[in-house]
Amino acid sequence: MDSNSPADAPVVRAPLHAPVAHLVRGGVIEGVHYGSVVVLGADGEAVFRLGDTEAAFYPRSALKPVQAVAMARAGLPLDGDLLSLAAASHSGEERHLAAVRRILDLAGLGEEDLRNVPDMPFDPAVRDAWVRAGREPSRLAQNCSGKHAAMLSTARLNGWSLADYLDPAHPLQRAIAETVEDLTGQRVARVTVDGCGAPLFAVSLHGLARAAARIVTAAPGTPEARVADALREHPELVSGAGRDVAALMRAVPGLLAKDGFEGVEVAALPDGRAIAVKIADGASRARIPVAAAALARAGVDPALLTEFAGETLLGGGEPVGCIRPVHALRPDPPTACA
């Protein structure tokens, strides 16, 4: 096999997850979140593993930076705020909708060309305001509309058909699959349909971390570097106001981070250190403290991560516990549980 060829696809199996976080109330472990964690050093080698980092899984929206790189490689001319929307799971704020409209306008397209699923805005407050105003679900408001607008723009630029741009056999999706395999370093194990309707590719957690590391360490001006710069410069466009992934990128200098449904988080530092997390039950309340603990394992100053230590559990309105990464992951937790 050519040294640049992807390795074999990860095995499709029931993942061998391990405990990654404890729900502690009154000094008693009340619940356990299982999952898997991998930490890569700057040399690309795994320096910490917990759970099953090699089984096939679906990264969900944590794969969007890779998909954006594929589109940039295919000629997508966007940069900055608009390129960040190509990798966004946005909250549906007006600034997000306006940016998606700009992507469509630049390609001579409209909202009617989108093929993602109509939905209400992702952010609860934005959604409530939307409902009070009597607005209906729309393709533009759905959190993946930026990715879909960028897909349409890439297809139009290359003279590819538009109506079937979500077909896995479409040239666009084949190009994305090739980039997924290139950056993760492994063959895609399975292809299914994501919640928004786009093809979704199964890789390993290790492969996802490797892809993030390759994106942040790419040479300036490359498609990978353009995507990394766009996301780091516009974290609130990639997510939204008050979202933890944006706060994490703001807190840690140079960090690229992306979340995904079902408890997925990937992040990488400029020197190539990277982490990837999968929470088995999909719980976001465990995702961010486990990701923060993994970043501390990667060498990030724990002082930068204190706000991501995990939510405090209340009893009668008073703190009585917390969500705490397991000792194997974070032997020196920044907070003590009651």
Side-chain angles (χ1 to χ4, degrees), residues 82 85 93-103 105 140:
L82 297 188
L85 262 294
E93 301 163 22
E94 286 303 324
R95 58 178 168 175
H96 297 129
L97 307 190
V100 177
R101 289 191 191 98
R102 285 168 57 201
I103 295 173
D105 287 345
L140 201 67

Side-chain angles (χ1 to χ4, degrees), residues 15-309:
L16 306 173
H17 292 306
V20 294
H22 289 152
L23 181 73
V24 182
R25 183 183 296 270
V28 173
I29 295 176
E30 183 178 33
V32 180
H33 289 289
Y34 283 71
S36 296
V37 180
V38 64
V39 179
L40 305 185
D43 61 358
E45 295 298 316
V47 297
F48 179 83
R49 300 174 188 262
L50 185 61
D52 195 340
T53 64
E54 303 302 334
F57 90 118
Y58 292 119
R60 303 298 299 270
S61 287
L63 197 62
K64 283 178 177 175
V66 179
Q67 293 169 308
V69 168
M71 289 185 273
R73 287 181 175 183
L76 183 68
L78 305 178
D79 280 299
D81 59 343
L82 297 188
L83 184 55
S84 73
L85 262 294
S89 300
H90 65 71
S91 291
E93 301 163 22
E94 286 303 324
R95 58 178 168 175
H96 297 129
L97 307 190
V100 177
R101 289 191 191 98
R102 285 168 57 201
I103 295 173
L104 292 169
D105 287 345
L106 287 170
L109 299 166
E111 184 177 352
E112 66 278 3
D113 294 299
L114 295 170
R115 293 291 180 269
N116 58 319
V117 178
D119 201 357
M120 304 296 280
F122 177 76
D123 182 87
V126 179
R127 186 188 312 124
D128 289 348
W130 192 281
V131 171
R132 287 194 299 270
R135 303 174 76 174
E136 298 292 329
S138 78
R139 299 183 192 275
L140 201 67
Q142 197 268 338
N143 76 91
C144 301
S145 62
K147 177 180 75 175
H148 283 255
M151 285 180 171
L152 281 166
S153 179
T154 305
R156 167 147 287 187
L157 178 70
N158 285 277
W160 297 329
S161 56
L162 301 182
D164 61 341
Y165 74 93
L166 296 181
D167 187 328
H170 190 279
L172 170 67
Q173 301 303 336
R174 292 204 306 269
I176 290 174
E178 290 173 1
T179 299
V180 170
E181 293 187 336
D182 176 41
L183 293 180
T184 63
Q186 59 192 180
R187 302 287 183 193
V188 168
R190 293 281 174 87
V191 181
T192 189
V193 182
D194 209 339
C196 65
L200 178 61
F201 307 99
V203 295
S204 71
L205 197 67
H206 190 173
L208 178 65
R210 186 185 300 117
R214 289 179 175 174
I215 289 172
V216 297
T217 57
T222 60
E224 293 89 334
R226 286 170 49 208
V227 169
D229 290 345
L231 270 64
R232 291 181 293 200
E233 291 169 6
H234 303 279
E236 284 81 12
L237 284 179
V238 180
S239 54
R243 295 270 294 277
D244 54 49
V245 70
L248 190 60
M249 282 194 276
R250 292 291 188 201
V252 181
L255 185 72
L256 172 69
K258 185 69 184 73
D259 54 348
F261 280 160
E262 298 303 324
V264 183
E265 184 93 12
V266 66
L269 293 153
D271 63 0
R273 287 173 291 158
I275 65 102
V277 169
K278 163 65 180 174
I279 305 300
D281 61 6
S284 282
R285 70 178 185 180
R287 169 183 54 82
I288 198 67
V290 170
L295 285 169
R297 274 273 182 183
V300 173
D301 182 355
L304 300 176
L305 301 167
T306 53
E307 69 176 289
F308 309 103

